[in-house]
Amino acid sequence: MIIDDLNALAGKERAARKKFTIRCCLAAGCMSSNSGAVKKSLEQAVKDAGLENEVEVRGVGCMKLCCEGPLVSVEPGNLLYEKVAPDDARELVAALKGGKTELKTGDLNHPFFRRQLPIVLANSGQIDPERIESYIAADGYQALHRVLRELTPREVVEAIVKSGLRGRGGAGFPTGIKWGTVAKTQSTQKYVICNADEGDPGAFMDRSVLESDPHAVLEGMAIAAYAVGAGQGFIYVRAEYPLAIKRLQIAIRQAKQRGLLGSGIFESPFNFNIDLRIGAGAFVCGEETALMMSVEGKRGTPRPRPPFPAESGLWGCPTLINNVETFANVPPIMRRGAEWFAAIGTEKSKGTKVFALAGKIRNTGLIEVPMGTPLRVIVEEMGGGAPDGRKIKAVQTGGPSGGCIPVEAFDTPVDYESLTRLGSIMGSGGMIVMDDSTRMVDVARYFMEFCVDESCGKCIPCRAGTVQMLRLLEKILARQATARDLAKLEELCDMVKHTSLCGLGQTAPNPTLSTLRFFRREYEELLVPEGNGQIQRPSDAPRL
Ligand SMILES: Cc1cc2nc3c(=O)[nH]c(=O)nc-3n(C[C@H](O)[C@H](O)[C@H](O)COP(=O)(O)O)c2cc1C
Ligand code: SF4
């Protein structure tokens, strides 16, 4: 493949566009409500109406407003149809030609859509994720070509540093600095890993990106590999994501067939291959050192750092590990420039962030907003507030490693530092909204139970401490705990946070600590006077 071939393919794909495009969401959310059958019905209805030369029915990725699925959009007209059933196909196709329709249409001017700034999700709901030509027609692989032809690896690293991109997997580490460290480390073999483990309850951002735009991740990884000097990449994706796995397999195969992965990419000396590694769905395997153990075929348990993967990672070689969304940001940055990206967001948090909005909120689905957007805008304007006339109480960000932010703090801009100051974290982008019927001690218990289940057991503070904390939370909920138990819980939180080996244990107390900070009264109301407390062993907590 040379650039003329790439441009010719893009031109051919654009020229083949028909007068109307009907896009049908085939991401996991809509697929679970039968959108596969909707697409088939639409194809049949187009055929029956004799409109095959005028109408393309395209299967696309996530259209974001998941709660209203199956979703179908129509161009021109920028129309969105919601909750479409296979039987609606005939009416929908007739409406293209001015026929009347009673089908439920979405308001694309609603803040849920209007407030979004799609960079990572720009192709989501637009292109066919199973056809490389569709991605190429949307300027796909142009960034890789530009990088290989015009820039040295060092210039690529400098561009990523200048863009201000920070890791989207949770900790927000500056991506350019990480790339620079791997680039500088001398070795004949280096690796690039894409972390697609996504284990946080309520999170589905990475899954949607992989299902909707897999080539963006492959292109981002290839650019990273050129920058750091790696020849082999792995995508570590959990087995619970079969559709993402299928689309990645198709994308890798097509990219290899087109010469966009493999040897001598764009007739340059650059060689790069990508293989998939399927994880068994352990939360701890998202932690980078455990993930690498798992890729090596060993049991996935964390190890102490240093050495960091950038210096000694897979099989002891320098390894760059980034999250799905981090890699998906790379092609637009290299196409549109570091300055363009750095102008979006806040001083220290650049670009946009994809969030999965879930819980007690009207509009659930995927959103992508500039960093610094206040929580109130996300939850109340975009999310539409709580359903059933209830009031929003808090939002949980960062999953089991994060915390609960009360409604009083909703003017906080969403960026790495502000959320950390509130005792939560940005995390990978799960956002679970709670209304006034939620008991915050229950929330703390839920996340602690998750950590007990997912702790790998390698170090004592986490293995034993999370079990003890769960027991104390259950004792509080059973109204058998005293003020002394609460103090003990706080002491344990502090100990586990500061002595655990990896991020799972170090952050496991966060949901408890943040609910204690903002909703302490809810804990205290459940306490009994000293002397009434009884030792309770919850039946479902593992024994020590
Ligand atoms: C328990 C645990 C689970 C994690 N799970 C994920 C995950 O599912 N996806 C992810 O990208 N990072 C996860 N991380 C963070 C990774 O260790 C690592 O920091 C990240 O992949 C780096 O990529 P980034 O710099 O692009 O964010 C997890 C960390 C911990 C401690
Ligand atoms: S902190 Fe927990 S998950 Fe991490 S190594 Fe220790 S026991 Fe395993």
Side-chain angles (χ1 to χ4, degrees):
M1 169 82 76
I2 57 170
I3 188 66
D4 290 345
D5 300 334
L6 192 76
N7 290 336
L9 211 57
K12 195 170 156 206
E13 183 73 10
R14 288 180 200 132
R17 277 182 196 152
K18 298 180 183 170
K19 189 172 168 196
F20 295 100
T21 308
I22 300 178
R23 295 187 176 91
C24 181
C25 176
L26 295 184
C30 281
M31 289 282 269
S32 67
S33 39
N34 213 16
S35 66
V38 172
K39 179 171 179 267
K40 279 199 184 118
S41 278
L42 285 165
E43 283 163 346
Q44 190 60 46
V46 167
K47 207 169 161 191
D48 294 347
L51 292 174
E52 285 153 300
N53 292 331
E54 280 184 71
V55 183
E56 178 198 353
V57 179
R58 186 185 299 172
V60 295
C62 182
M63 291 192 191
K64 307 182 182 88
L65 191 57
C66 304
C67 58
E68 296 292 343
L71 294 169
V72 172
S73 75
V74 175
E75 291 280 356
N78 206 17
L79 269 172
L80 182 74
Y81 291 96
E82 298 174 351
K83 297 201 185 296
V84 182
D87 289 348
D88 297 331
R90 205 166 291 275
E91 186 178 328
L92 199 151
V93 170
L96 295 177
K97 292 282 183 185
K100 277 205 162 167
T101 175
E102 299 289 314
L103 296 176
K104 190 179 177 211
T105 47
D107 176 8
L108 287 165
N109 206 29
H110 186 279
F112 182 82
F113 293 107
R114 196 167 25 86
R115 287 280 195 169
Q116 303 217 24
L117 178 62
I119 295 175
V120 169
L121 300 179
N123 289 332
S124 182
Q126 299 291 321
I127 65 164
D128 179 346
E130 298 193 6
R131 291 184 64 246
I132 193 170
E133 298 82 1
S134 200
Y135 180 68
I136 288 172
D139 291 334
Y141 290 104
Q142 293 284 346
L144 178 61
H145 177 264
R146 183 185 161 232
V147 159
L148 295 183
R149 286 282 145 200
E150 295 174 20
L151 303 178
T152 62
R154 195 176 161 166
E155 285 168 334
V156 181
V157 173
E158 280 166 6
I160 296 298
V161 171
K162 208 165 156 192
S163 74
L165 178 65
R166 294 170 66 174
R168 302 300 196 235
F173 190 81
T175 306
I177 293 180
K178 200 189 266 189
W179 288 26
T181 310
V182 184
K184 265 185 253 148
T185 310
Q186 295 298 317
S187 174
T188 49
Q189 179 69 277
K190 295 183 190 179
Y191 297 100
V192 168
I193 299 179
C194 172
N195 188 342
D197 195 52
E198 195 168 56
D200 297 14
F204 51 90
M205 308 76 50
D206 293 348
R207 191 198 71 202
S208 290
V209 171
L210 296 173
E211 288 174 355
S212 308
D213 198 8
H215 285 283
V217 179
L218 303 189
E219 189 180 0
M221 288 178 73
I223 293 170
Y226 173 74
V228 304
Q232 177 65 47
F234 293 100
I235 303 177
Y236 188 86
V237 53
R238 55 178 45 223
E240 287 97 326
Y241 286 179
L243 188 60
I245 293 169
K246 179 187 148 199
R247 294 204 173 137
L248 278 171
Q249 284 166 336
I250 294 172
I252 292 171
R253 195 179 62 236
Q254 291 178 346
K256 281 184 181 161
Q257 279 164 355
R258 295 279 179 187
L260 296 163
L261 285 177
S263 306
I265 299 172
F266 283 121
E267 298 197 326
S268 74
F270 174 59
N271 309 324
F272 183 58
N273 272 305
I274 298 178
D275 287 316
L276 292 187
R277 287 291 179 271
I278 314 298
F283 178 57
V284 75
C285 283
E287 195 280 336
E288 57 190 24
T289 60
L291 185 152
M292 290 187 301
M293 292 279 273
S294 181
V295 171
E296 287 177 13
K298 300 175 189 141
R299 183 177 168 186
T301 49
R303 61 153 174 82
R305 296 171 308 173
F308 287 94
E311 286 153 348
S312 177
L314 265 187
W315 295 289
C317 300
T319 302
L320 174 72
I321 176 160
N322 277 129
N323 166 262
V324 170
E325 191 182 328
T326 314
F327 282 125
N329 268 297
V330 170
I333 291 174
M334 298 316 296
R335 227 176 28 242
R336 303 177 73 171
E339 294 83 2
W340 160 79
F341 189 82
I344 302 164
T346 65
E347 194 196 335
K348 291 187 178 162
S349 303
K350 302 296 186 188
T352 57
K353 181 75 196 82
V354 180
F355 291 103
L357 261 188
K360 304 283 183 66
I361 190 160
R362 278 203 185 90
N363 305 322
T364 55
L366 270 197
I367 58 164
E368 182 174 3
V369 288
M371 293 274 193
T373 303
L375 266 172
R376 194 177 300 287
V377 168
I378 296 177
V379 176
E380 289 175 3
E381 276 190 46
M382 303 179 76
D388 309 323
R390 302 210 72 108
K391 283 198 179 116
I392 302 267
K393 183 172 181 179
V395 64
Q396 208 279 345
T397 67
S401 310
C404 293
I405 301 166
V407 71
E408 293 75 25
F410 272 19
D411 289 322
T412 306
V414 174
D415 60 52
Y416 293 100
E417 281 72 26
S418 304
L419 293 187
T420 307
R421 268 197 298 276
L422 283 173
S424 188
I425 58 165
M426 173 92 78
S428 54
M431 219 178 237
I432 302 171
V433 181
M434 290 145 197
D435 69 14
D436 53 2
S437 67
T438 313
R439 283 201 308 181
M440 302 316 276
V441 190
D442 280 325
V443 176
R445 197 206 75 90
Y446 168 78
F447 282 110
M448 193 58 77
E449 189 179 35
F450 180 86
C451 290
V452 168
D453 286 347
E454 296 294 333
S455 166
C456 80
K458 182 168 176 173
C459 69
I460 294 169
C462 169
R463 183 180 71 220
T466 52
V467 175
Q468 296 296 348
M469 290 190 289
L470 177 63
R471 281 187 187 154
L472 285 166
L473 285 165
E474 301 212 321
K475 194 173 173 188
I476 293 169
L477 281 165
R479 294 176 187 269
Q480 290 176 339
T482 63
R484 210 184 314 181
D485 290 312
L486 189 59
K488 180 105 185 147
L489 176 65
E490 289 184 281
E491 202 182 304
L492 273 168
C493 283
D494 188 59
M495 187 274 290
V496 173
K497 192 178 171 116
H498 292 106
T499 56
S500 291
L501 173 60
C502 86
L504 192 154
Q506 287 157 11
T507 58
N510 284 355
T512 303
L513 285 170
S514 78
T515 46
L516 270 166
R517 176 171 163 192
F518 294 114
F519 303 95
R520 192 177 187 91
R521 185 126 53 94
E522 291 191 28
Y523 283 81
E524 287 171 348
E525 280 168 2
L526 294 167
L527 298 181
V528 292
E530 211 61 55
N532 287 4
Q534 297 161 20
I535 302 291
Q536 194 215 15
R537 183 182 284 274
S539 53
D540 55 351
R543 310 250 161 156
L544 290 179

